[in-house]
Amino acid sequence: MIKVLGLTKRYGTKEAVKNISFSIAKGEIVGFLGPNGAGKTTTMNIITGYISATAGKALIAGFDVLDDPIYARQHIGYLPEHPPLYQDMTVNEYLRFVYNLKKVRHRKFEKHISEICELVGISHVRGRVIGNLSKGYKQRVGLAQSLIGDPDVLILDEPTVGLDPNQIIEIRNVIKNLGRERTIILSTHILPEVNAVCERVIVINDGVIVADDKPENLAKKIAKQNRFSARIVGESQAVVNIVSGVPGVAGVKFIKNAEENAGDYIITSDETRDIRQPLFYALAENNMPYLSFTSYGVSLEDVFAKLTQQDSEHSKEELSK
Amino acid sequence: MTAVFKREFRAYFTGPIGYIFCAAFFSAISFSFYLDNVSAYRSDFSTIFNIMMLWLILLVPLMTMRLWSEEKRQKTDQLLLTAPVGTMEIVLGKFFSALCVFLCALSLTFIYPIIVSLFGTPEVKSIIGNYVAITFAASAYIAISLFISSLTESQIVSAILSIISLSLFLAMNVIFESTNIEFLAKALGFLSMITRYFNFFQGLFSLSDVFYFISLTVIFLFLTSRVIEKRRWS
């Protein structure tokens, strides 16, 4: 559905995006992940045809966004970083304007817009002036705008910014549901969002793709170890000694005294072995009961930090050469 | 095109600019009607159209200055430029919305020829010809200032530059007229809007001069769409 080949964008001497290639199949929800200024928005702006690439090309449903702009753009719904709203219009007027602008013919206005408003939860504010809406509602109107005309590709630049936690969950569910029939690219730097919504993650750093995989595979690749956090009763040095004696434990670290007589520890183990049972018996034998025990797994945060830092170290090395 | 046109035209009259433009234009023309016709006991309207040409230099830039800069400020250009429409359609939508606001203001002044016809015999053909001609002249004004507003993000800069360039276009014949460089004087006289409008003042409807205004309009609308398109490449 979306094909990007050797995309490069240069602003003056700075390369914002360097030779990026990827392709996205129909029905995939892909998360664009990266620190600020990594090139996420630039890439999205190129795919939607808002700006041109210095080199390379982007194809939407087989149409080149620069050679056949009108056909390519007919397939795209775009929610930019700042929702493109006319503050002086009411929500209904604005949606009608977008409906006419996109020249939607195959759907009747009233029914189409009611469905969209229902979906993103703005039915009750349709008569209000956009300038007076809260940020969360503006964001939803922006999302509604991108859905007009049933485009098969949705490009959403940080769609949940400015929403409260309940709304975030709501909008994520909306996006997930939309993703059943559509291809979606969404950029974010909120990592749980990627876990919650996306089937695939593309991590961009400094204009280069540093990873492209399923979220859980990414975590596995990076993590060679399992991590647990535990609260254990007992004198800290003694606990450390006992725990590190258990076969399979790769390391144990005392964090802080949490309660009377009890401390928090971070325990790491080899990937291949399950240490939970032996650890329990070893502590029980020594009269050191658990107060809590949780498996950390490896968070996407770790993956992200590792990927982006590795890369910048790598580029520093390159520079020093 | 119609979507952009409707939105812009509506925006003129939900905000103050449309009303201010009509009021300013109408009061300026009313004042000169009083001076030239009422107190001078004349039924000749040519001076009024002359004065319209001058007033529009100030008023048209006020009307067009926000057309592009506002899109940039509200980031709505992202919506327009990623919608499945050509750039020229957007430019035309904006152009016709401004032209229609001008026509609203112009139609207010129809009342004066009607008043004069109650008391005297104005030259109806010449007045109609002048109304048609001033419409084409105004469309050239609008196209030029629309082009300038696409060049800058600041409304003030856009307004001032438009006023300067419209003045130049209107009276560039003056620049070399008093010198010996006959070739330049002639060329600039050929391009100047005021010499082009001269025939209409005299009551002659000259098609070639109408074409001149139409060509100016087309050229500047084309340039505007190029400037907008070029933004993608910067």
Side-chain angles (χ1 to χ4, degrees), chain A:
Chain A
M1 204 67 204
I2 303 175
K3 208 171 202 152
V4 170
L5 294 168
L7 216 59
T8 301
K9 179 70 182 178
R10 209 174 292 131
Y11 291 112
T13 52
K14 192 190 174 298
E15 275 191 326
V17 171
K18 298 166 198 160
N19 199 11
I20 279 186
S21 301
F22 58 85
S23 71
I24 297 174
K26 203 178 158 109
E28 264 188 300
I29 306 185
V30 176
F32 251 34
L33 205 58
N36 289 331
K40 296 176 301 226
T41 300
T42 305
T43 310
M44 291 182 142
N45 277 340
I46 294 173
I47 295 175
T48 53
Y50 178 58
I51 55 174
S52 65
T54 312
K57 56 179 169 181
L59 301 171
I60 305 288
F63 297 107
D64 189 310
V65 290
L66 285 182
D67 295 341
D68 296 308
I70 308 278
Y71 290 111
R73 286 183 219 151
Q74 270 170 354
H75 291 272
I76 301 177
Y78 183 30
L79 169 63
E81 204 173 352
H82 304 272
L85 306 173
Y86 291 102
Q87 310 289 334
D88 56 341
M89 295 173 109
T90 67
V91 173
N92 206 45
E93 283 166 353
Y94 173 70
L95 294 177
R96 183 179 287 275
F97 165 67
V98 177
Y99 176 88
N100 290 332
L101 182 71
K102 290 189 179 175
K103 296 178 185 159
V104 182
R105 297 267 154 68
H106 58 289
R107 298 292 305 269
K108 281 265 175 297
F109 176 78
E110 225 4 90
K111 188 161 175 285
H112 187 41
I113 300 300
S114 310
E115 276 172 17
I116 290 173
C117 289
E118 199 62 44
L119 193 66
V120 299
I122 53 170
S123 301
H124 56 294
V125 296
R126 279 179 70 177
R128 287 181 53 185
V129 174
I130 292 175
N132 299 337
L133 293 177
S134 69
K135 190 157 190 316
Y137 274 106
K138 283 183 185 163
Q139 190 70 21
R140 288 168 186 231
V141 177
L143 187 60
Q145 161 275 122
S146 70
L147 296 175
I148 291 178
D150 289 327
D152 14 338
V153 175
L154 279 181
I155 298 188
L156 311 173
D157 201 347
E158 303 191 357
T160 55
V161 164
L163 303 178
D164 68 41
N166 288 331
Q167 293 173 331
I168 289 182
I169 293 172
E170 223 175 279
I171 291 295
R172 278 182 196 160
N173 287 334
V174 169
I175 294 173
K176 255 185 171 171
N177 285 333
L178 289 170
R180 292 205 185 120
E181 301 132 45
R182 286 163 232 249
T183 311
I184 300 180
I185 302 184
L186 75 100
S187 86
T188 179
H189 46 236
I190 308 166
L191 296 157
E193 191 153 289
V194 176
N195 262 337
V197 181
C198 304
E199 296 147 7
R200 184 176 149 196
V201 194
I202 297 178
V203 184
I204 301 188
N205 190 36
D206 257 343
V208 188
I209 295 182
V210 290
D212 180 353
D213 212 330
K214 289 186 173 166
E216 56 273 22
N217 288 355
L218 270 187
K220 271 186 203 155
K221 259 190 207 166
I222 296 292
K224 294 282 187 292
Q225 293 179 322
N226 290 324
R227 288 208 300 171
F228 305 95
S229 108
R231 182 168 290 179
I232 302 166
V233 176
E235 201 265 314
S236 61
Q237 196 49 49
V239 172
V240 169
N241 286 337
I242 299 294
V243 173
S244 48
V246 175
V249 170
V252 54
K253 204 166 131 200
F254 173 70
I255 303 298
K256 64 176 196 295
N257 277 316
E259 292 171 39
E260 218 177 314
N261 278 332
D264 284 344
Y265 301 85
I266 297 237
I267 303 164
T268 48
S269 75
D270 295 342
E271 203 184 4
T272 46
R273 290 169 88 158
D274 190 349
I275 59 159
R276 287 172 297 178
Q277 282 198 29
L279 188 64
F280 170 77
Y281 288 124
L283 288 169
E285 264 171 34
N286 290 284
N287 202 15
M288 294 169 171
Y290 283 131
L291 298 182
S292 72
F293 186 79
T294 21
S295 168
Y296 256 155
V298 175
S299 67
L300 212 48
E301 271 88 351
D302 299 330
V303 177
F304 181 69
K306 217 154 191 172
L307 281 172
T308 50
Q309 277 160 17
Q310 264 176 3
D311 195 73
S312 51
E313 273 161 27
H314 184 71
S315 52
K316 266 178 215 154
E317 274 169 34
E318 267 187 356
L319 276 178
S320 59
K321 277 175 203 167

Side-chain angles (χ1 to χ4, degrees), chain B residues 217-229:
Chain B
T217 310
V218 170
I219 289 169
F220 277 97
L221 289 181
F222 174 76
L223 288 177
T224 310
S225 85
R226 289 291 89 192
V227 169
I228 300 299
E229 197 59 33

